[in-house]
Amino acid sequence: MIFISDVHDSPGALARLVQLGEEIVILGDLVNLTDYRTGEGAVASVMGQEFATRSSAARALGDYGAMRSLWTQQAGASREELRHRIGAELTDQYRKAAEALKGGRGFVIHGNVDRPAALQEALPDTFRYVHGEVVESNGLRLGFVGGGVQTPLQADGEVSDEEMSEILATIGPVDILCTHVAPAITPLRRDVVTGREERGSDPVRDYLLGHQPRYHLFGDVHQPQASIWRVGRTRCMNAGYFRATGRFLRLEGSIVQVGSVG
């Protein structure tokens, strides 16, 4: 079983992963709003790369007020039309991802930039959307919770702390917890390239302290200060920025190891 995260519109790499013939678990963020390294993505396709780069820079600083101001200035009265056009770009990215995943099998949760309804609609029949579910595999219980920490953006892929706590309580003890979001532990949520501490999840951290699963697998933070960390008995592992690195985690028996696809 292979785990990846932060695919961000990489159908070619997904297709190569499918060719490995293993079960695939995608921990969210299949689409790409804006690649902060290049400015590419759905926003740039609709509103131009310069705007996308400026908006992404404000997001990297956590300056949501500046982001909102940029969007207001650029969109004006056509905001809904632009939102619709960006949504159409994301729908096309989901279509390409679904094509790449054909012939594969596995499980998927959404990330903070995903649109859960569009994601579920696009998935091939051999991939199951498992947000809020427990899956048993080879004698292990895997618990899945999608979404990112709630922000002023109020994006479709965000989950409030209250909802996250409720889902985790429903899931109960598992051997492996799988989320998109990192726990609220500084080395795991600090991005060393942007220099910013991403919003880690307090409920996920509390779950780890209380239940001590064998592993916690997640994504969201693209270049973390630490990719592996221990919380008591739990080994926390960032699955990696798949779009940029092709990194994945492979579960063999009860051991998780790091791999990559070119």
Side-chain angles (χ1 to χ4, degrees):
M1 182 178 281
I2 286 175
F3 299 79
I4 62 172
S5 187
D6 298 273
V7 177
H8 294 302
D9 190 28
S10 301
L14 277 182
R16 291 192 293 274
L17 198 67
V18 168
Q19 291 173 3
L20 297 179
E22 301 181 46
E23 203 165 38
I24 299 170
V25 178
I26 304 177
L27 301 178
D29 279 3
L30 279 80
V31 291
N32 181 36
L33 275 174
T34 302
D35 185 331
Y36 58 76
R37 303 168 305 159
T38 64
E40 298 172 333
V43 173
S45 295
V46 173
M47 305 183 71
Q49 193 157 338
E50 180 182 354
F51 172 84
T53 301
R54 292 171 63 199
S55 178
S56 178
R59 167 66 178 84
L61 294 172
D63 192 345
Y64 296 104
M67 281 188 72
R68 191 176 296 111
S69 177
L70 283 170
W71 279 85
T72 299
Q73 293 171 19
Q74 184 81 4
S78 60
R79 177 176 294 186
E80 286 306 312
E81 177 191 349
L82 291 173
R83 192 185 303 273
H84 176 76
R85 290 172 59 193
I86 290 171
E89 289 285 336
L90 297 180
T91 296
D92 189 56
Q93 291 182 19
Y94 282 129
R95 179 191 59 78
K96 291 187 293 182
E99 284 290 327
L101 291 171
K102 283 184 177 179
R105 68 195 190 283
F107 307 98
V108 180
I109 56 176
H110 67 278
N112 55 294
V113 303
D114 282 313
R115 297 190 175 183
L119 167 58
Q120 292 176 72
E121 185 176 349
L123 282 178
D125 292 339
T126 53
F127 280 82
R128 179 176 150 202
Y129 179 72
V130 288
H131 172 56
E133 297 185 21
V134 175
V135 173
E136 294 195 11
S137 177
N138 296 320
L140 297 173
R141 285 171 52 85
L142 287 75
F144 293 92
V145 191
V149 175
Q150 200 168 44
T151 72
L153 298 177
Q154 298 182 323
D156 292 347
E158 296 176 356
V159 177
S160 69
D161 281 355
E162 292 75 17
E163 183 181 356
M164 179 67 76
S165 295
E166 290 172 4
I167 296 172
L168 290 169
T170 300
I171 285 175
V174 295
D175 298 296
I176 301 175
L177 178 66
C178 302
T179 68
H180 176 69
V181 69
I185 296 171
T186 298
L188 295 177
R189 66 188 182 97
R190 178 183 289 129
D191 191 308
V192 297
V193 173
T194 66
R196 181 172 181 269
E197 288 190 14
E198 299 293 338
R199 296 187 178 216
S201 172
D202 290 326
V204 169
R205 179 201 58 207
D206 294 344
Y207 175 94
L208 299 179
L209 291 170
H211 290 287
Q212 296 283 280
R214 188 175 303 176
Y215 287 101
H216 174 215
L217 310 181
F218 59 95
D220 194 23
V221 185
H222 291 178
Q223 291 92 197
Q225 179 181 357
S227 296
I228 301 174
W229 199 261
R230 279 203 174 273
V231 178
R233 293 190 301 272
T234 302
R235 188 174 176 85
C236 303
M237 301 181 72
N238 187 319
Y241 183 14
F242 187 75
R243 174 180 171 88
T245 67
R247 172 188 164 104
F248 61 75
L249 301 176
R250 175 182 275 128
L251 175 63
E252 295 182 313
S254 61
I255 305 298
V256 176
Q257 299 178 327
V258 178
S260 66
V261 60

